Each structure stands twice: as C-alpha cells, then as structure tokens.
Amino acid sequence: MIPLTDGMAPRRFPVVTVALIAANVAVWLFYELPNLNGSIEHASFYPCTVDGSCDGPEPVWISWVTSMFLHGSWDHILGNMLFLAVFGKNVEDAYGHVQYLLLYFAGGFVATLTQTAVTLWFGSTEAARVPNLGASGAIAAVLGAFFILYPKSTVFGLIVIWPAWLPAWVFLGFWFLYQLFEGGFGIVSASANGGGTAFFAHVGGFVFGALVTVALMKRGVTEPRGTNDAPSPAVCGL
C-alpha cells in the first residue's frame, strides 16, 4: 500500500516536515552514498551496546540519533520520505512546529528502545550485533498521531498498482496490523542494509504516537483541523 495524499492541505507551511525530509535526503546523498557500507557501520545503532555485549563505533546516546537519519537503499529512503510527506504535514499542523519535532524524536527513541528490547530478550547474539537504522520508527509515531487526529480523513494511494481511496483508520490500521503480523515472524530482524525490517520499532513508534496524541487531545493541547469530506485524486505535496 503506497499513500499518495491525505487530501488535506495544511493551514501553515510544514517547515519541520520539510526540514526533516531535507536532512534525511542530504545524509543519504552526501554521507551514505559515497561509502554506503562504511557509513552504515559507523553511524547505526547496535542493540548489543545497551547490554554491554559489544562496543559500537559511537556511544549509545549519539548512535540512536544518527541512526534515525540513515537508510539502507533507495527504496528505504524514498518509502520513508513519502510516508512522512503525506502524513507529517497535517500532524505538524495540529501539534505545532516545536511539539511535532519533539514527537518525532521521542517516537524515534521509543521505537529504537522497543526493537532493542525485543532483540535482546528474544534474539540471538548475532541479531543484537546487526546495525539498526532508518527514520521509520519516528515516522511510525507520526502515523500513530495521524490515526488519532484524522481517522475519518480519506487517503488516496495505490494497492500494488490499483488506485484506491480508503479512510485513514483503515489504511493505517491495516499498516499497523501488518507490522504486528510480520513482527511475529521476524521478531529479531533489524532495519539494516540487508538486515530486514525492524517491525517492532514500527509497532513501538506507532503506539507511542497514538497514546501521546490521545493524552494531548484530552488536555486540549492538540486539536485536529477539519478533515476532508470526499476522496481526492491529488498527488502528494507539501
């Protein structure tokens, strides 16, 4: 399932979403591509550094941040940035720029923590040494927030190659259930170059984003804008 638009134009320019996309693309083009394997090895997060069974190239408090801006392939970064572009702008609209940025980084931290815990508890020593990387854990938190804020909005996208209009709660609900299903079969896999997908990072990030948004809405801190009433075939845009 590939999202193309949520049919809602933000009320204000999504400066944080654009900046995050620009930062991820810049890291990919200018840091990773010249030496993909070397950059992944150096700036990724290693679960084994948490329990002290290995020493990573960078300290844990640095690598969990740097790993959020790394990607293992063109498909990896393009897919992540597409999801961030489609869903991030309206979450930023509801949250405000600063609070949205905090959600993004906190979601990335929780996602990394979730995948690390699963790997250390259920995985092998070799699995704990697989580098974890990617923005998808943080983006999953954005998806969780969108799921709560705009469940009745209409997402236009492709199911394989067929265009479809789906309520956001159906699209994102299916996405979340897929992460749980796949995570059950690849419980110790890691989002690395050739290492698979960190499904439990996605699960942890999504749940965190949803719970935080529910709490903020109850306090009146975060409020969604009006949602779209009809499907829109417009392509993704910021």
Side-chain angles (χ1 to χ4, degrees):
M1 299 175 67
I2 303 173
L4 298 178
T5 182
D6 62 4
M8 296 185 294
R11 294 169 294 186
R12 48 192 169 185
F13 184 75
V15 58
V16 175
T17 298
V18 171
L20 288 170
I21 292 173
N24 277 277
V25 171
V27 169
W28 170 250
L29 292 176
F30 302 113
Y31 176 66
E32 290 195 81
L33 280 186
N35 183 12
L36 184 58
N37 291 331
S39 58
I40 287 176
E41 180 179 350
H42 181 262
S44 293
F45 178 85
Y46 295 82
C48 56
T49 59
V50 174
D51 66 359
S53 60
C54 75
D55 293 321
E58 295 292 341
V60 172
W61 59 274
I62 292 178
S63 60
W64 81 264
V65 176
T66 58
S67 65
M68 289 171 56
F69 292 89
L70 299 179
H71 293 86
S73 66
W74 278 104
D75 288 346
H76 193 192
I77 187 170
L78 291 176
N80 276 348
M81 295 305 102
L82 177 60
F83 270 80
L84 183 56
V86 170
F87 296 106
K89 63 186 186 301
N90 285 303
V91 175
E92 181 177 353
D93 206 16
Y95 262 74
H97 304 309
V98 175
Q99 196 165 255
Y100 171 73
L101 185 62
L102 292 175
L103 170 74
Y104 185 89
F105 277 97
F109 175 77
V110 171
T112 298
L113 188 65
T114 304
Q115 183 66 39
T116 298
V118 171
T119 301
L120 293 179
W121 288 341
F122 302 104
S124 63
T125 302
E126 291 74 19
R129 293 177 179 270
V130 175
N132 284 220
L133 58 97
S136 55
I139 295 171
V142 174
L143 301 186
F146 192 98
F147 181 80
I148 299 299
L149 289 166
Y150 307 107
K152 296 182 180 179
S153 66
T154 302
V155 177
F156 172 72
L158 300 176
I159 300 177
V160 188
I161 60 172
W162 294 278
W165 292 264
L166 295 172
W169 70 268
V170 173
F171 185 97
L172 294 176
F174 179 84
W175 179 91
F176 178 72
L177 292 176
Y178 176 78
Q179 308 310 308
L180 283 176
F181 177 80
E182 288 293 330
F185 287 97
I187 197 169
V188 297
S189 62
S191 182
N193 190 26
T197 303
F199 291 107
F200 280 96
H202 301 169
V203 171
F206 187 94
V207 171
F208 173 80
L211 292 177
V212 167
T213 303
V214 169
L216 292 178
M217 289 179 68
K218 287 183 177 180
R219 294 176 56 190
V221 176
T222 299
E223 183 178 350
R225 52 153 290 173
T227 58
N228 54 329
D229 297 319
S232 170
V235 297
C236 171
L238 295 176

